[in-house]
């Protein structure tokens, strides 16, 4: 397994797919990077030469923010939103959807498992 930026990328996948295993690189970025460096995106990761891996590492160091540094940056941005108590920060703090989605239904990913709240019993019709 080639090791790029401290991450083992899978051997049997195409180079551009393997590069997406790095946090902060999607398919488009991976394909553009392969073309920039003159690497065939379809070549298997195990067939990359040491020189190719070194060029990829060098390019990533100079051009992009990845992995731990990117994760820290995202966490700091969210912490700033919480600190200034803006609407998005409040939504993050409460664990609710941040980008305007509805919460009456379909917010289970953010809200977690459904918590049943005891409600009013139905009023029975007393007329006979």
């Amino acid at each position: 397994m080639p090791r790029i930026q401290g991450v083992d990328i899978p051997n049997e996948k195409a180079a551009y797919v393997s590069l997406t295993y790095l946090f902060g690189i999607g398919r488009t970025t991976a394909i553009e990077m392969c073309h920039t460096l003159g690497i065939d995106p379809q070549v298997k990761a195990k067939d990359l030469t040491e020189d190719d891996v070194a060029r990829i590492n060098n390019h990533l160091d100079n051009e992009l923010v990845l992995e731990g540094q990117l994760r820290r940056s995202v966490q700091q941005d969210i912490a700033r939103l919480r600190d200034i108590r803006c609407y998005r920060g409040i939504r993050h703090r409460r664990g609710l959807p941040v980008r305007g989605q509805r919460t009456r239904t379909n917010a289970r990913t953010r809200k977690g498992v459904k918590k049943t709240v005891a409600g009013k019993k139905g009023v029975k019709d007393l007329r006979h």
Side-chain angles (χ1 to χ4, degrees):
M1 281 189 176
R3 195 164 174 79
I4 297 176
Q5 297 288 310
V7 176
D8 291 331
I9 61 173
N11 274 333
E12 297 302 319
K13 299 194 179 196
Y16 79 97
V17 175
S18 293
L19 287 171
T20 63
Y21 279 65
L22 296 165
F23 184 77
I25 295 184
R27 286 190 175 220
T28 305
T29 308
I31 291 169
E32 286 175 2
M33 189 171 56
C34 287
H35 288 302
T36 302
L37 297 175
I39 298 169
D40 178 21
Q42 294 296 336
V43 73
K44 300 278 188 204
K46 66 181 176 186
D47 297 331
L48 290 172
T49 64
E50 290 294 320
D51 181 48
D52 290 340
V53 173
R55 285 193 351 234
I56 291 170
N57 270 320
N58 190 25
H59 180 77
L60 294 176
D61 280 336
N62 297 331
E63 301 295 324
L64 297 172
V65 177
L66 299 173
E67 287 296 325
Q69 191 175 355
L70 181 59
R71 290 179 206 272
R72 259 190 309 283
S73 173
V74 170
Q75 287 302 316
Q76 287 171 348
D77 292 344
I78 292 171
R80 181 182 58 82
L81 292 172
R82 287 179 177 174
D83 292 342
I84 64 175
R85 295 195 179 116
C86 68
Y87 181 79
R88 284 173 54 205
I90 292 167
R91 302 297 282 184
H92 274 291
R93 188 176 297 194
R94 291 183 181 170
L96 293 169
V98 177
R99 297 184 180 179
Q101 297 92 332
R102 66 182 291 139
T103 56
R104 184 169 179 172
T105 60
N106 301 333
R108 286 292 135 218
T109 302
R110 284 294 303 205
K111 290 170 76 173
V113 180
K114 190 182 290 187
K115 299 178 268 304
T116 306
V117 178
K120 288 193 285 186
K121 294 248 180 178
V123 178
K124 292 187 179 178
D125 192 15
L126 297 175
R127 284 186 269 153
H128 295 312

